Amino acid sequence: MFSRPLVPALCSTIIGILIGHNILTNINLPVFLFPLVILLCLGIIFIIPLKFPLFYLMAVFMLLGINTQINRPVLSGLPKVIHKNEKVVIEGTIYRPPKIRFNMASAPIHTEKIFFSEKVSKVKINLLVKLYGYNGGLKVGERIRFPAKLKEFENFNNPGNFDYRFYMLSQGLSFMAVVSDGRYVVPMGEGDLGLVGKTLEKVRGPLRRFFKERLSHTSNPIYAALILGERQGLTSKLREPFDRSGVGHIMAVSGLHLGLVAWLFFKSLRWLLSLSYRLTLMTEIRKFAAIITTLPVIAYALLTGLQLSTQRASVMVLVFLWSFIIGREKDVWSSLSLAALIILALKGDALFSTSFQLSFVAVAGILWLVPLIIQRIPKFKIGNESFKGSQILHPILTYTLGLIAVTTAAMIITIPLIAYYFHRFSIVAFPANLTVVPIIGLWVIPLGLLSSITLPLSSTLAGFLLSLGEFGLDMAISVVHFWSNIPWSSIWIIRPTLLEILLLYGLLFLSLNFNRSRIYRLFLILILIVFFIDIGYWVYKVRLNNNLRVTILDAGRGNVSLIQFPGKKRMLIASNAFGYGGFNLARMVVAPYLWHEKIRRVDYIFLTDPQVQQTEKLRFMISNFHPREVFSSFSTERMVGRVKIKGSNTEGITITYRGWSFLFYNKKVQIEKESPEGGKEWPKYLIATEEKMLRSSSFHILNIDQTGALTITIDSDGNLKMKGFLKKNLNVVITD
């Protein structure tokens, strides 16, 4: 640890970010307080001689992590306008191409002015404009003015759901501006992208048009994503085969792309420079090649628009290149820690982003596991004498073995995180990555970059290079379709908890170090015990449940409730959730909650609208949760696990258990208990999913927008407990 101080410094920074994010979130401290404390600690370290300065440096980095989480003020006036749902007029400049779906478009803009009812405010924030009735015409760099309603980004507040609000804020977008009619958008001429943005758009604009003219309908959006970092044209239909085969990550520019570009240029430059005998004597070829390689890496990052994932990847690649230049290439863990420190110092919230976690965990896994994997293949070691003398077989063997080792290491180390964030595992990911990544990284991207470089010189040459690249891309797409069309190539899986992820990584580490020390073996036994206790807990909760549990999900305009009967049977009640068009609630809301609860089967699905039985959303639910029945009415009263069920799609559905009745009807759920004459008066609850439904005097009213997913539990004695996802203090307990 003392020989690599950057590693504990990174750990301290991460601890500081977690403290600031989870503990000091609601504490308003002066912005200058933590920087002042950091400077004071640095002064103590360097002025006063200390016996253990590393621990004081760790304290400084912890304060640095806390400092990244200090709340910054929000533009005054906007929250009031949002809550009143008032219209304002907004003026700003489009800085990325619009994403178009049917007659709706969305595009981010640099907002410059907001016209309120009585004043005009000059602002500098980014908004996401959602435009209905779009008829084309929006261009990057154009200033527009339009009337809109400002809205905050909102999540579906259910356990296990994607944090959409955090994702949009991490992209630098503060609010959403909704425009009801595209005819109200007024072009105002050329906008202000800044010096860097304007210069980049002069390069990216012609390339965007060039790709659109020369490439097919399928190749254009993929090439735009790989070269320009613009993923707006990637539809779900286009992405699905890549996701099924486990190579969806190649569609977003990341460390893989920049790393392959750096590796290709570094190898090529080192070979070219080695041809000069004079240069070989005058300088160290490897360092000189690494210095020159930084230029194409920076150029590629700029060409992709310097989006957040690209910024992180470029920092990582440049740090590793400079480790070659200063002669510290063997200290890979310090290089990785330095790259992470730079990124977290610039933006502490990056720690919570999926791309940051996957990128750094994958690289850490490669650095850790690749040497172990190569050591365990003695017959094919790179130094094997039977191949070492061959100028053809040895490089091929080296590349193949390295690719297999890197792919294996990256897959093993990222499986828990992929399961946590995406609930999906591709069985064919290993062979798919081995066959697709080399084509994309060593053929498609280099030819695309060469085409971009030669376009200002010769459009004919650029078109020829691009056509060669498209040929390789078509080949890669064919390979992707081959792997994705294999039955069961991809499976949806339950979501591990954070504890289970830590246990899995602990099992991996201790298993690989089983023979090193007795303490490792003891910890391995301890982790196995905790792991089996965790499995037992979930088996008891999911399959040996003795209570009735009703969970009303936050599903926006839809209404979805999960009934978990005593025992292991379950029923899903859905209204306006699995119909045609609109947001995919089945895949993005309902399924993630079920996987979070370790539920892989739903026995019954009750639909209030029988016409939705042929939709893709419902087919997704049926194929992944295997219900015994899908129906919209009960011909007779049923009993499931001592619970009575009756109703239809017109009258609603009623379930009764231990005197309590639940009526699911018309975007609301009524909960009440039968009271004998002259007996105790029991409280009654009305749970609504829309504001206009909140009108009742005899019911205690709860709004799903305020509580989040609401779980009501009734035990075998008839006692009721109620718990909200957002309101943790909503501890309603009713007992006899």
Side-chain angles (χ1 to χ4, degrees), residues 70 85 102 177 207 297 594 618 621 679 699:
I70 292 179
N85 204 25
F102 303 107
L207 278 175
V297 169
L594 295 174
L618 184 60
M621 294 298 298
F699 286 83

Side-chain angles (χ1 to χ4, degrees), residues 156-378:
F156 292 102
N157 294 304
N158 307 304
N161 273 172
F162 174 65
D163 193 344
Y164 175 71
R165 184 174 183 273
F166 171 78
Y167 173 76
M168 298 307 289
L169 293 176
S170 68
Q171 299 298 308
L173 298 168
S174 301
F175 301 100
M176 180 191 300
V178 180
V179 183
S180 59
D181 194 331
R183 293 175 297 178
Y184 298 148
V185 177
V186 180
M188 303 286 290
E190 185 179 352
D192 183 16
L193 290 174
L195 179 61
V196 176
K198 191 174 182 179
T199 305
L200 288 177
E201 186 55 28
K202 286 182 178 179
V203 177
R204 288 158 54 85
L207 278 175
R208 196 181 296 119
R209 293 188 292 271
F210 179 64
F211 288 165
K212 189 174 182 180
E213 293 170 0
R214 297 298 184 97
L215 296 172
S216 66
H217 181 71
T218 302
S219 301
N220 176 40
I222 299 178
Y223 243 124
L226 293 174
I227 304 300
L228 301 176
E230 296 174 351
R231 305 181 64 202
Q232 292 85 352
L234 297 175
T235 62
S236 57
K237 184 178 180 181
L238 190 59
R239 292 197 310 265
E240 181 60 20
F242 287 82
D243 293 337
R244 281 183 59 85
S245 55
V247 293
H249 59 92
I250 66 173
M251 308 285 268
V253 178
S254 62
L256 170 68
H257 303 72
L258 286 162
L260 285 170
V261 168
W263 178 82
L264 188 62
F265 272 92
F266 177 75
K267 289 285 186 181
S268 303
L269 286 168
R270 192 175 67 171
W271 176 75
L272 286 173
L273 292 172
S274 66
L275 297 178
S276 171
Y277 181 71
R278 186 175 180 180
L279 270 177
T280 307
L281 293 176
M282 290 176 58
T283 184
E284 191 171 344
I285 296 298
R286 293 171 71 254
K287 292 184 178 181
F288 193 34
I291 292 173
I292 301 175
T293 303
T294 60
L295 298 178
V297 169
I298 294 172
Y300 185 26
L302 290 171
L303 189 62
T304 59
L306 275 180
Q307 299 185 37
L308 286 176
S309 59
T310 310
Q311 293 175 26
R312 296 167 193 154
S314 58
V315 168
M316 188 187 304
V317 173
L318 289 173
V319 166
F320 276 97
L321 283 173
W322 275 99
S323 70
F324 273 90
I325 296 168
I326 64 175
R328 297 292 298 272
E329 66 271 17
K330 292 184 179 180
D331 195 359
V332 290
W333 292 106
S334 292
S335 299
L336 182 65
S337 300
L338 178 60
L341 275 171
I342 293 172
I343 293 168
L344 294 177
L346 294 174
K347 191 174 180 63
D349 283 343
L351 178 66
F352 308 104
S353 67
T354 307
S355 60
F356 176 88
Q357 294 176 18
L358 285 173
S359 296
F360 278 89
V361 168
V363 174
I366 290 168
L367 297 179
W368 173 37
L369 294 176
V370 165
L372 299 177
I373 293 171
I374 292 176
Q375 288 173 9
R376 282 163 172 75
I377 315 178

Side-chain angles (χ1 to χ4, degrees), residues 55-94:
F55 296 105
Y56 289 91
L57 277 173
M58 290 173 64
V60 170
F61 278 100
M62 185 181 295
L63 289 171
L64 178 66
I66 294 173
N67 186 59
T68 64
Q69 298 301 299
I70 292 179
N71 288 331
R72 288 168 175 79
V74 182
L75 183 66
S76 60
L78 285 187
K80 187 186 296 184
V81 171
I82 291 170
H83 293 148
K84 288 183 178 180
N85 204 25
E86 294 179 355
K87 269 193 176 183
V88 294
V89 176
I90 300 170
E91 184 177 306
T93 303
I94 302 169

Side-chain angles (χ1 to χ4, degrees), residues 543-578:
R543 303 185 67 85
L544 303 175
N545 171 42
N546 293 321
N547 304 323
L548 172 69
R549 279 203 295 268
V550 178
T551 302
I552 304 161
L553 297 181
D554 178 6
R557 296 180 181 179
N559 297 273
V560 181
S561 299
L562 174 68
I563 317 299
Q564 294 174 268
F565 299 104
K568 60 180 182 180
K569 291 187 177 180
R570 308 169 195 93
M571 180 170 71
L572 205 63
I573 302 174
S575 172
N576 194 31
F578 304 147

Side-chain angles (χ1 to χ4, degrees), residues 77-143:
L78 285 187
K80 187 186 296 184
V81 171
I82 291 170
H83 293 148
K84 288 183 178 180
N85 204 25
E86 294 179 355
K87 269 193 176 183
V88 294
V89 176
I90 300 170
E91 184 177 306
T93 303
I94 302 169
Y95 64 91
R96 284 182 198 157
K99 180 179 180 180
I100 303 168
R101 294 292 181 269
F102 303 107
N103 66 336
M104 192 273 286
S106 58
I109 67 166
H110 292 306
T111 307
E112 300 156 8
K113 295 179 184 178
I114 298 181
F115 298 83
F116 297 96
S117 56
E118 298 178 352
K119 63 176 182 177
V120 179
S121 293
K122 292 185 177 181
V123 297
K124 288 185 178 180
I125 59 173
N126 296 332
L127 300 178
L128 179 67
V129 180
K130 185 167 284 189
L131 182 64
Y132 293 92
Y134 177 68
N135 54 7
L138 294 183
K139 297 182 296 183
V140 177
E142 183 179 33
R143 179 180 281 113

